[in-house]
Every structure is written in structure tokens, then in C-alpha cells.
Amino acid sequence: MIYQGESIRVDFIEPGFAELQFDAKGSVNKFDQATLEEFSEALTKLKNTDDLRGVIVTSSKSTFIVGADITEFLTLFSDQEQTRSWVAKASRVFDQLEDLPVPTVGAVKGFALGGGCEALLACDYRVADTTATIGLPEVKLGLIPGFGGTMRLPRIIGPDNALEWITTGKNNSAEDALKVGAIDAVVAPEKLTEAALNLAKAAAAGEQDWQAKRQPKLEPLKANDTELTMTLVTAKGLVAAKAGKHYPAPHKAIEAIENGAREHREGALKAENNAFFELTQTDACRAQVGIFLADQAVKGKSKKYAKSATKEIKSAGVLGAGIMGGGIAYQSALKGVPAVMKDIKQDALDLGMKEAGKILKKGVERGKVNHEKMIKVLSSITPTLLNDAVKDVDIVVEAVVENPKVKGSVLAEIEGVIGNDAILTSNTSTISITELAKNLKRPEQFCGMHFFNPVHKMPLVEIIRGEKTSDETVAAVVAYALKLGKTPIVVNDCPGFLVNRVLFPYLAGFAGMVDEGVDFVGIDKVMEKQFGWPMGPAYLSDVVGIDTADHCTVVMEEGFPSRMKRDTSSAIAKLAAAERYGQKNGKGFYVYGTDKKGKPTKDADPATYELLGCEQGKKLEADDVIARCMIPMVNEVVRCLEEGIVGSAAEADIALLYGLGFPPFRGGPFRYLETMGIDNFIKLADQYAHLGEIYQVTDGMREMAKAGKSYFDTTRAK
């Protein structure tokens, strides 16, 4: 044995040829600080090993290396000197691999991402099996490759290909990586180790010039000035258009490659180190790393629920073939759970099937779905007018009109049809699950299952626990949501649950400005361009449906009469009364149509200004607009956590990211709050407290600030 550590072992695989194998104790290999130390020690041992002729780098797992240990990042990056020292030291470990006095071959299977990909790039040769996925996804964490990726990849596959890989963070199949020269061969999984060893032997025997293969990575980039300039200008334009100003990482990636292009390895690495360090100190990086950690926490919690499930969902029934019902039936069938779609009108069923067909047809056109899959999915949806058709299903998702009396009647009727062990759920977006359960004989087998529109695109599903909902029901429904490819978050019952409950104070803040005569177009521009929402509040209201939003204000007032009192003279109520329902009937805050080419249009309507009494072009300062909208939302999210509606800050952040499109570079409402600083948020909110209860922070938040605590502290008392 040449070296044995906790995560790495090195031994001769046959005389003269060593295997450096990553073999962490967990399910995957990753570069935490301890593994990087071991990597350096193992490479030092190899450098000093007599009779060494070649090295292959392998993994004992089903995947190669998934990257760095992201759980260490936020703590590590909080100390600037520690961060500078770490990135410089860590990146030089990969130089040790590249500088071994013998040929090196990386053997990759499964995922080789981030640091895993960078370990491969430090090898002289790379062999992949057909399962391999290779990429540098660091921009998705607000970072760039930090172990030499921006220096090595352009010298291996050319600056244009490298810039595309790094600035998009996309994963690449083995075949695609082979096409651009990122790897040297693709083999069957059972041949991987043998192929890597044979390549190392060929290089050691002089049949391959491994030193010539290594040399370009040690030198300045071989590209003439004109080619390089054009490549960089093109990349900058694409990144500016796609990433915009809120995501600095892809811009920094270009900067690192540009600054290191005319440098030898050490100079290029310094350029990368500097850019990486600067990104670690940005709010966007902290937010995006926070999202990753929150997402992992949510997934872990969901898996625990699913693991405890005693009932498996093999078939589903959907009541209501509208946009939501049809979308739910489609998603269920797509993911292998046949769905019976029941409605009282044949034309609704026809529309639901047509919608499913339209989604599948788009998938076929984009090459994501083949015709066989399309036929299979459509044949897995059974449209019906008969209640008896759902009698044998394992779960029913009710998705009829958002009216408590209608829903209560439909639920009670269908409970008498389905089996005694079947689960009943409601896709209600605001109505109390506990209240709806009063219509049922088996309330313990009932919960909320709130999907978001469009169902096939939106990743979030809120699972709402009523007062009598059993743990077994929640576990089974979470497992079903996971089967559908969704991210389920379990919340407790209250009007609006989590997502809609916190959305309405945000919309109330917006409406307050419009009522004061401020131009809704200007508000939308600020909230989209400066804060980063995908849609401003006026446009969002039109997309949701003005009539739907107006109806929800009634429900929210019943639940929170002092804080969310309905104002019949507000913008939403006026538009609803004028039957300006938004996109669904072509007019709301905006008017909707198509241009000469058939593309959708959205224009401000003079009639809207006249109806609402607001003034075209009247503006508030951008900071005021953001504060007026966001303070109420953050306050309400904090209340939901304090009341136990949602279990953690991480779950709340993911819910708003996946359910509302909260700007990812801000990380979610709690990450946004803590980035601003709880003290600073309180000071800001106090300036607007005179506007009403939605602007007034809770006593709990003041106590958190006084104690210097974080909402992300898992030991925090609840």
C-alpha cells in the first residue's frame, strides 16, 4: 500500500502502475478540506515512489467526484484571509497531480462535476464510460471553478468551448465531452479501469507522447489575439444578455480566463484565485450557496417522510379537468402513475386532454419526448364523467372551482366512492384544510396538495396538514409528490397556507402605491429589473387572474382581519369589478394581444389609469418601491415561521423560490433578510410602520436581532 487515508487509497494495480482511488465513507466522493489534505499527501507519496511508471485516478463509487463539499462554504467564506489561503492552497494540490513525473489517466464514471472535473483536467489523459456526466457547474453557486478549471479547460478544448461550459455551468455527456476533446475515449462501464490502465501503459512505453499532451496546460493559451478577442467579446455579450447584472459569476469567469490567457500556469491560477475569492464575498454567492444547502435540507426531509410511507400510490384520480386538473393528470401520467381525470362536462375533459397533448407535442418538437412516450402518457390518462371510474384509485386530487361549498360537496361525494384506505387531497390555494375536512368521515386521510401553475413547469407542491391529518397520509402524499418529480414542502393549515399567505401582503404593498397614484408600470420595472422578480406585481396579478386574486383577498381577510382587511376601493377590487380579469380575458392592469407575427403582446392601457386613478409616469424612488413591496412579504414569512406554519427558514426560502420565482441571487426571503441584516431590516421597516400592520415587525424578530441570532440556526428554539 502506497497510501491509505479516510477517503483516498493508493496502491499498485500491477507492477509500475498505481491506482489512486477516491473511496469516501459516504455515498459519494467530494472534496472537503480533509480530502484535499489527503489528496496532497497521496500525491506526495506517489511523487516519491520508486519504479513508478504511471498512475490511474479512479473512484470506488458509482460516480467519480461530485465536487467540493458545499456545506463548508458559508463558514469558510466568512473569513477573508482563510478563504484566500484555502483557495490558493487547494488549487495547488491539483498542480501536484499534473506535475507527477509519470503519465496520469483519469477514469470517470457517473458524475465528475466541479472539483471532480478539475481533477480530471489535471490528468494527462481522460477516459470515460458511457454513464459519465462531466461539467463545471460552479456558476450556479455564484462561483467559478476554483481548482484550476478556468486555466486548464480553455487549453484543452479551446477558449470558445470552455467559455460555454463554464459560463453556463451545463453538464455534458461522455459523447459530447469527447466531441470537443475534453476526454480522450469513451468505453463500456466494465472496460473502464482496463482502458485507463492500457492508456497509461501505452504512454509509459512511449506509444503516446504524454509530456506533449501535458505541456499546453503549463503555458499561455495558444490562440491568436484576434481569435481570442472575438471569442471573449461574443462571450461577454451572451453573458450580459442571459445572466444580467445580478449574477456576477459568469462575468468573473470570462475575466479570469481573459486575465490568465497570456500567462503561464502560475499566473493563470492567480487570476482564477483572485476572481474566485472576490465572488466568495458577494451576496449573490452566499444566496446561491444558501439555496443549494436549503434545497438539500428540504430534499432530505422529504425523503424521510417518503421512507416512512406505509401506502404506495400506484394510481390517481383528479377531479376537475381545468388547467390545474389537466396539468396534474398529465404530470401523474408522465411520471408513471396512471390518472383518471373526472369532470362533469365533456368539453372540459376534451380541453384537458388537448392541453396534455399540446405539452407532449412541444416535448416531441424539442426532442425531449419520443412518439412512443407521447402515446403512452396520453393512454395513461382516462377522461371520464363517471364517479365510479375513480373507485379503485389510491389517491384523489380535487381541483374544482375555488369555492368552499363546492369543494366540500365534491369531496364528501367522492369519499363515498373511493376505497376506505384511499387518500383524498384538495388542490385548494387558500381554503382551510381543517374546515374542508369537516365535510368528511375520514379527515385523517385528507390533506391539501397545492400545485402551482403551470403544473408541468413549477417544481413546488405544498402539502398542507389539517388538524386531523395523520402522519401516514402526509408521508404517502409526500412520496407521491416526489414520484411526480416535484419538491414537496409540508406546511400547517392556515388561510393561504405559506406561499399565498405571504404573497398577499406583498400585493397589498403594491396596491397601496397604486392607490396613491403611482404608475403600476414603473413599479413592475423596479421589481423586475432592480429587485429581480420574473414578473412585477401588476403583471403577476394579471397572470394569476384578477378575479382569483380578488377572491383570495376575501379568504385572507377572514383569516387575518386586522392585517389583511379587504379594501373594495383598491386596485385589484376595482379591476375585478370592471371584469378586467387579466390574461384570461385579455385585459387587466395591461391589455394582451398578438403582433403581426403572432407573438404575444403586453401593453399599458389608458383605461386602466383612468379606472384606478393613477398617473402615467408617476414614480417613487426605487428603494421606496422595493421596501413598500418586500417589507410586508418578509414580515409575513417571519410570522409563518414563528407560528409553526412552516418548519424552517430553509423550507420557507425554497417554497418562495420554487413557488413564486423569488430571485435566486437573493436566496429567498430569509436569506434576503439576513443578508440585509435583521437590525437593518427592522430600522427600515420602522420607517414604514405608519402604513399599517403589514409593515410592523414582530416582537420575535426584535428579540432575534437583540440576541444576534440567525433564522438559519437549527438549534434555535421554536
Side-chain angles (χ1 to χ4, degrees):
M1 183 68 69
I2 297 172
Y3 177 84
Q4 179 67 61
E6 293 292 317
S7 300
I8 295 173
R9 66 175 190 83
V10 185
D11 203 359
F12 282 109
I13 193 169
E14 62 177 64
F17 294 89
E19 178 182 28
L20 187 157
Q21 186 171 78
F22 286 88
D23 185 22
K25 288 183 177 178
S27 58
V28 295
N29 298 312
K30 54 188 173 182
F31 282 120
D32 54 21
Q33 294 186 67
T35 300
L36 282 166
E37 289 285 348
E38 285 191 10
F39 195 25
S40 180
E41 292 168 6
L43 292 167
T44 299
K45 289 280 188 180
L46 277 168
K47 180 183 177 182
N48 297 321
T49 297
D50 294 332
D51 302 322
L52 186 67
R53 299 183 61 213
V55 175
I56 65 170
V57 182
T58 70
S59 164
S60 67
K61 312 291 183 186
S62 60
T63 200
F64 186 64
I65 302 169
V66 296
D69 185 355
I70 297 163
T71 62
E72 296 181 338
F73 279 9
L74 291 182
T75 302
L76 177 67
F77 296 165
S78 64
D79 185 319
Q80 292 191 17
E81 286 308 309
Q82 184 183 19
T83 304
R84 280 191 184 277
S85 173
W86 173 80
V87 69
K89 183 179 177 183
S91 60
R92 270 57 179 188
V93 175
F94 292 75
D95 292 356
Q96 290 180 252
L97 173 58
E98 193 164 59
D99 291 340
L100 285 175
V102 295
T104 56
V105 182
V108 58
K109 56 184 175 179
F111 290 107
L113 303 176
C117 178
E118 290 174 287
L120 290 174
L121 298 177
C123 295
D124 300 318
Y125 299 93
R126 290 156 291 282
V127 180
D129 76 12
T130 52
T131 71
T133 298
I134 302 166
L136 295 167
E138 287 86 351
V139 291
K140 296 174 183 177
L141 295 172
L143 293 167
I144 62 171
F147 300 148
T150 66
M151 180 272 295
R152 293 187 177 93
L153 191 62
R155 288 157 175 78
I156 293 172
I157 67 173
D160 49 351
N161 288 323
L163 281 161
E164 182 184 355
W165 275 39
I166 293 170
T167 59
T168 63
K170 70 171 186 174
N171 292 344
N172 304 274
S173 68
E175 288 295 337
D176 287 341
L178 180 65
K179 287 175 185 175
V180 297
I183 56 176
D184 300 289
V186 179
V187 299
E190 66 273 13
K191 298 286 187 182
L192 181 61
T193 302
E194 178 187 352
L197 182 57
N198 286 341
L199 186 51
K201 287 180 178 178
E207 297 169 21
Q208 298 281 342
D209 191 345
W210 60 274
Q211 290 168 315
K213 194 92 159 53
R214 179 182 296 182
Q215 193 60 32
K217 295 187 289 176
L218 309 178
E219 298 175 349
L221 187 61
K222 286 181 170 60
N224 68 49
D225 290 343
T226 303
E227 289 175 346
L228 183 60
T229 299
M230 288 184 67
T231 297
L232 290 167
V233 168
T234 301
K236 288 174 183 177
L238 290 171
V239 165
K242 190 159 188 179
K245 64 181 180 180
H246 296 304
Y247 296 91
H251 301 280
K252 277 290 180 187
I254 298 171
E255 180 184 309
I257 291 171
E258 183 173 17
N259 290 344
R262 297 308 180 213
E263 301 284 345
H264 286 77
R265 184 178 73 182
E266 183 58 27
L269 274 179
K270 283 183 179 176
E272 178 182 279
N273 290 170
N274 288 337
F276 184 93
F277 169 75
E278 288 172 10
L279 286 169
T280 66
Q281 303 306 299
T282 63
D283 291 341
C285 171
R286 293 188 183 94
Q288 289 174 267
V289 170
I291 291 171
F292 176 87
L293 298 175
D295 184 65
Q296 294 298 106
V298 167
K299 284 177 179 173
K301 195 167 183 178
S302 296
K303 286 176 183 176
K304 282 183 180 177
Y305 272 118
K307 197 173 181 181
S308 69
T310 56
K311 180 177 178 61
E312 184 180 0
I313 306 298
K314 296 179 181 177
S315 60
V318 180
L319 306 182
I323 292 173
M324 291 301 293
I328 295 164
Y330 160 80
Q331 190 68 23
S332 190
L334 179 73
K335 295 299 182 178
V337 182
V340 177
M341 183 169 64
K342 194 266 175 189
D343 204 286
I344 58 173
K345 295 180 180 179
Q346 184 61 47
D347 58 349
L349 294 172
D350 294 341
L351 185 62
M353 294 302 295
K354 184 180 178 181
E355 189 65 24
K358 189 191 298 183
I359 298 168
L360 286 162
K361 188 178 178 183
K362 284 183 181 178
V364 171
E365 290 170 356
R366 294 172 182 170
K368 294 183 177 181
V369 178
N370 58 35
H371 285 283
E372 291 77 14
K373 177 79 170 179
M374 181 176 179
I375 293 167
K376 184 179 179 181
V377 172
L378 288 174
S379 64
S380 295
I381 304 173
T382 304
T384 183
L385 297 169
L386 305 174
N387 278 349
D388 278 356
V390 300
K391 66 179 182 178
D392 295 322
V393 300
D394 297 311
I395 190 169
V396 169
V397 183
E398 167 274 306
V400 300
V401 63
E402 188 75 354
N403 179 296
K405 289 184 179 178
V406 175
K407 283 184 180 290
S409 174
V410 168
L411 288 166
E413 182 181 5
I414 215 69
E415 185 187 35
V417 175
I418 58 178
N420 288 334
D421 65 337
I423 291 170
L424 196 52
T425 72
S426 175
N427 181 52
T428 176
S429 55
T430 55
I431 302 167
S432 167
I433 294 300
T434 299
E435 287 301 309
L436 287 175
K438 291 177 181 178
N439 298 278
L440 303 175
K441 295 175 181 177
R442 299 188 295 275
E444 68 281 358
Q445 289 168 230
F446 173 65
C447 70
M449 195 175 189
H450 178 209
F451 291 83
F452 291 78
N453 190 36
V455 174
H456 67 288
K457 288 185 178 179
M458 299 297 282
L460 180 69
V461 175
E462 280 183 299
I463 311 296
I464 304 102
R465 183 196 293 270
E467 284 180 9
K468 295 186 178 180
T469 305
S470 70
D471 291 342
E472 291 80 7
T473 294
V474 170
V477 176
V478 167
Y480 175 52
L482 289 173
K483 249 186 190 179
L484 300 188
K486 300 301 182 184
T487 298
I489 291 180
V490 179
V491 299
N492 284 319
D493 190 26
C494 70
F497 318 128
L498 173 63
V499 174
N500 281 335
R501 174 174 162 180
V502 305
L503 174 61
F504 278 90
Y506 167 83
L507 293 178
F510 154 70
M513 288 183 280
V514 176
D515 293 345
E516 293 169 16
V518 180
D519 188 350
F520 58 88
V521 174
I523 297 171
D524 272 5
K525 284 180 180 177
V526 170
M527 297 312 293
E528 290 169 5
K529 303 295 184 186
Q530 297 195 39
F531 192 81
W533 283 103
M535 289 180 275
Y539 185 25
L540 176 64
S541 298
D542 279 356
V543 171
V544 169
I546 298 294
D547 53 337
T548 302
D550 186 50
H551 169 73
C552 289
T553 62
V554 176
V555 177
M556 301 309 289
E557 181 183 43
E558 289 173 358
F560 312 102
S562 66
R563 195 163 64 252
M564 299 191 201
K565 186 172 179 58
R566 183 169 186 262
D567 182 357
T568 55
S569 65
S570 74
I572 297 289
K574 283 181 178 178
L575 289 171
E579 297 185 352
R580 298 180 67 94
Y581 296 150
Q583 280 190 334
K584 65 178 68 177
N585 70 345
K587 56 183 180 179
F589 280 99
Y590 299 92
V591 289
Y592 300 88
T594 54
D595 62 17
K596 292 178 182 178
K597 295 181 180 179
K599 292 184 178 179
T601 59
K602 172 175 73 80
D603 299 296
D605 185 2
T608 309
Y609 291 102
E610 185 177 347
L611 176 67
L612 301 181
C614 57
E615 183 181 336
Q616 191 167 4
K618 183 177 180 179
K619 296 179 180 179
L620 289 178
E621 290 295 325
D623 287 347
D624 281 336
V625 171
I626 292 169
R628 293 278 295 267
C629 288
M630 293 310 302
I631 291 170
M633 174 176 275
V634 172
N635 279 342
E636 202 63 34
V637 175
V638 168
R639 288 188 180 95
C640 286
L641 183 62
E642 290 179 354
E643 294 170 16
I645 301 302
V646 66
S648 66
E651 289 167 278
D653 277 356
I654 292 297
L656 267 66
L657 283 156
Y658 292 174
L660 289 180
F662 198 98
F665 69 92
R666 297 193 186 276
F670 278 104
R671 188 66 61 184
Y672 168 63
L673 169 60
E674 296 215 348
T675 297
M676 181 186 294
I678 300 174
D679 271 327
N680 292 331
F681 179 85
I682 291 171
K683 288 175 185 174
L684 179 66
D686 285 348
Q687 293 175 31
Y688 294 88
H690 64 283
L691 293 174
E693 193 178 344
I694 59 174
Y695 289 92
Q696 295 161 13
V697 303
T698 68
D699 292 339
M701 189 193 292
R702 293 187 191 279
E703 289 168 12
M704 287 284 288
K706 190 175 180 181
K709 291 182 178 179
S710 166
Y711 284 104
F712 292 98
D713 179 4
T714 55
T715 63
R716 178 177 61 85
K718 291 185 179 178

